[in-house]
């Protein structure tokens, strides 16, 4: 990638795809982190804005604080802009992205846990129907594995292969024994 292409690359279009609506927190949260990492402002999701500098502080300290303060405002607004209107109203007076994320995680963690649980359950209970071809069964299992990754519960390629082989081989043996 040339330097001119690199400078014009902006993943912000990702943020327009899906607003936080109450049922998609994990997917939504991934997108601002990607954008902020590319913009080198992801630190505001973890680093609290320190107390304002003293009047006699060195200029470098003042500049660093001003940059951090501006980034907090920009990121807060970016996050609000990517929420549906009900959530915007609920969070419009929250002062920092850290507070917003902490609150959202608390609000949606049970929902995310339930969704992950259901996906894992579907994966491990996935059975190859008698007389059905193996390929659609494997594709279905791969879909469950991909969805777990989207739910911040990624399964390594090696483990995914082991799970698919184990379930598929067990099912094939079961079908073979019936014959």
């Amino acid at each position: 990638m040339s330097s001119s292409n690199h400078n014009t690359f902006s993943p912000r279009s990702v943020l327009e795809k899906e607003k936080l609506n109450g049922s998609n927190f994990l997917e939504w949260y991934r997108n601002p982190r990607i954008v902020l990492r590319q913009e080198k402002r992801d630190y505001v999701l973890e680093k609290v804005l320190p107390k304002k500098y003293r009047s006699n502080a060195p200029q470098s300290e003042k500049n660093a604080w001003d940059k951090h303060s501006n980034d907090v405002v920009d990121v807060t607004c970016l996050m609000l802009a990517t929420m549906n209107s009900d959530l915007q109203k609920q969070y419009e007076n929250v002062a920092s992205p850290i507070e917003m994320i902490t609150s959202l995680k608390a609000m949606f963690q049970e929902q995310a846990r339930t969704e992950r649980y259901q996906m894992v359950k579907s994966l491990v209970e996935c059975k190859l129907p008698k007389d059905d071809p193996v390929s659609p069964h494997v594709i279905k299992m791969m879909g469950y594995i991909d969805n777990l990754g989207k739910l911040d519960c990624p399964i390594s390629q090696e483990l995914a292969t082991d799970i698919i082989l184990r379930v598929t081989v067990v099912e094939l043996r079961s079908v073979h024994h019936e014959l």
Side-chain angles (χ1 to χ4, degrees), residues 81-153:
T82 61
M83 295 177 180
N84 69 21
S85 60
D86 291 336
L87 289 167
Q88 285 175 342
K89 291 173 190 169
Q90 185 173 347
Y91 286 96
E92 68 187 341
N93 294 317
V94 174
S96 80
I98 294 173
E99 290 175 50
M100 197 179 294
I101 291 300
T102 301
S103 174
L104 288 167
K105 279 181 178 179
M107 184 186 306
F108 296 120
Q109 82 180 22
E110 186 61 34
Q111 169 196 343
R113 175 77 179 103
T114 301
E115 192 172 347
R116 281 192 305 270
Y117 173 80
Q118 290 300 328
M119 195 61 56
V120 169
K121 182 178 179 207
S122 295
L123 175 63
V124 298
E125 291 178 351
C126 191
K127 303 251 186 247
L128 177 63
K130 186 177 179 179
D131 299 328
D132 277 10
V134 174
S135 290
H137 175 70
V138 170
I139 290 170
K140 182 178 183 180
M141 292 182 73
M142 289 171 51
Y144 291 141
I145 291 166
D146 289 344
N147 286 338
L148 284 169
K150 292 175 184 174
L151 294 170
D152 277 349
C153 187

Side-chain angles (χ1 to χ4, degrees), residues 151-168:
L151 294 170
D152 277 349
C153 187
I155 294 177
S156 72
Q157 188 64 43
E158 186 175 357
L159 180 57
T161 301
D162 291 347
I163 291 170
I164 290 170
L165 287 174
R166 173 71 179 136
V167 170
T168 304

